[in-house]
Amino acid sequence: NHTQSHTTTPTDHTTTNNQPTLACVVLSELAGFFVSLVDSIGSFSLQQTMQGVVPRKDGPNPETLPPAEFSSLVQQLVLPLCQSGAAGPMLDGTVAFPLIQMAPFDVHQDERATLELFEQAPEGSRIYLATGYFNLTPKYVRAVLASKAEFHVLTAAPSANGFLGARGIMGHVPAAYTFLEQRFLQAMRLGKAADRVSVHEFSRRDWTFHAKGLWLYMPGDDLPSLSMIGSPNFGHRSAHRDLEAQLALVTNDRTVQLALHEVELGSRKILTNPMT
């Protein structure tokens, strides 16, 4: 199972004395941001205790408050964090932006950033996207159709889907994702975008695939300028139901770009099957 967690701390390759210190400071700021976010979410969440799941004594009760009132309280806690989350340079020429998605509370920061990336990527650029559960939302599909960029998607084959062999209706999940892939490819053909969009499936005996991430290569570049690292799967649950967080790492530092490229290139080298 491929991950890209090591790319968030590329300080091993620094070449000047001040870069490790700068990286540690900014990484500390990013860690502080996510600690504050988790603490904020915990303040309005139910608690698991020995007596069962109960509301916090010092926080709002999501079970009794009207949904609109509860959503408003959550926004008051979370939105200031989202607005203050952008970090400064992590290394020379590198910036990390936290992106949060909490659609039940009308927080759509990650979705908006992803849509803007799809829509604004220039002709000749390449976007590599990995997700274990390929189910792009209609907004994302329309953005891919309208984009000028090439898209290369890597997802799980039915044999590598985490729901393979599950009991009951869950056992049909892998086939459902295959159907969604075929529907996406049909939309690309009808929209005359099939020549710049490809989908490959990871397939390896006794392995599952739950990787996720995004890499942007600008026109003529062999190394990525941007990578998204985090929890979203770019599907319906990520956009509309779950609480998600990731980092948009933007860089022109060759050392960082090489580290990101090695992760993306590694995902392409694993066993895959092209979808048509």
Side-chain angles (χ1 to χ4, degrees):
N1 194 1
H2 163 72
T3 65
Q4 53 168 231
S5 59
H6 70 277
T7 61
T8 58
T9 55
T11 56
D12 297 343
H13 308 286
T14 53
T15 57
T16 62
N17 292 332
N18 66 326
Q19 283 182 320
T21 301
L22 176 60
C24 288
V25 168
V26 176
L27 288 174
S28 175
E29 291 176 358
L30 288 172
F33 168 82
F34 284 109
V35 167
S36 297
L37 179 65
V38 171
D39 287 345
S40 178
I41 293 172
S43 71
F44 56 77
S45 299
L46 298 175
Q47 289 183 306
Q48 178 69 56
T49 69
M50 296 296 292
Q51 290 72 42
V53 178
V54 298
R56 292 178 63 97
K57 295 180 180 180
D58 56 349
N61 187 342
E63 295 183 315
T64 58
L65 279 178
E69 183 178 345
F70 181 66
S71 179
S72 178
L73 286 172
V74 171
Q75 289 180 32
Q76 292 175 28
L77 292 169
V78 172
L79 285 178
L81 278 173
C82 293
Q83 293 164 357
S84 65
M90 188 166 74
L91 299 173
D92 290 344
T94 302
V95 182
F97 299 94
L99 299 171
I100 309 303
Q101 185 76 8
M102 301 173 67
F105 309 116
D106 200 28
V107 178
H108 303 274
Q109 194 178 41
D110 181 69
E111 180 186 33
R112 289 169 181 161
T114 303
L115 283 171
E116 186 167 352
L117 173 62
F118 289 177
E119 293 166 352
Q120 299 298 323
E123 185 173 0
S125 60
R126 308 185 314 281
I127 293 175
Y128 291 86
L129 189 151
T131 173
Y133 303 107
F134 183 62
N135 176 24
L136 293 188
T137 67
K139 283 184 179 180
Y140 286 159
V141 172
R142 289 194 295 269
V144 171
L145 278 171
S147 179
K148 297 178 180 179
E150 293 180 11
F151 284 80
H152 304 275
V153 179
L154 178 62
T155 189
S159 60
N161 190 290
F163 288 94
L164 183 70
R167 295 181 179 180
I169 193 171
M170 302 304 289
H172 297 283
V173 168
Y177 277 106
T178 297
F179 169 76
L180 292 170
E181 290 171 34
Q182 294 287 359
R183 191 171 68 175
F184 171 77
L185 290 169
Q186 182 181 25
M188 295 301 105
R189 289 191 291 268
L190 292 175
K192 303 186 185 305
D195 61 334
R196 58 176 181 81
V197 178
S198 67
V199 177
H200 283 70
E201 290 184 339
F202 170 89
S203 177
R204 185 171 182 177
R205 183 179 177 84
D206 297 327
W207 283 53
T208 58
F209 181 82
H210 195 64
K212 53 191 72 175
L214 182 151
W215 300 261
L216 169 68
Y217 292 71
M218 295 300 286
D221 287 355
D222 295 326
L223 299 175
S225 300
L226 178 147
S227 183
M228 288 184 170
I229 306 166
S231 64
N233 281 300
F234 309 100
H236 178 84
R237 286 191 61 90
S238 290
H240 299 293
R241 295 183 63 83
D242 295 341
L243 309 185
E244 306 280 10
Q246 67 178 343
L247 287 176
L249 198 67
V250 183
T251 184
N252 60 11
D253 182 286
R254 185 170 178 81
T255 299
V256 180
Q257 288 178 304
L258 283 168
L260 296 175
H261 178 65
E262 287 175 7
V263 175
E264 190 280 313
L265 189 61
S267 71
R268 278 189 273 164
K269 286 182 177 178
I270 59 181
L271 300 176
T272 62
N273 302 318
M275 292 291 291
T276 58

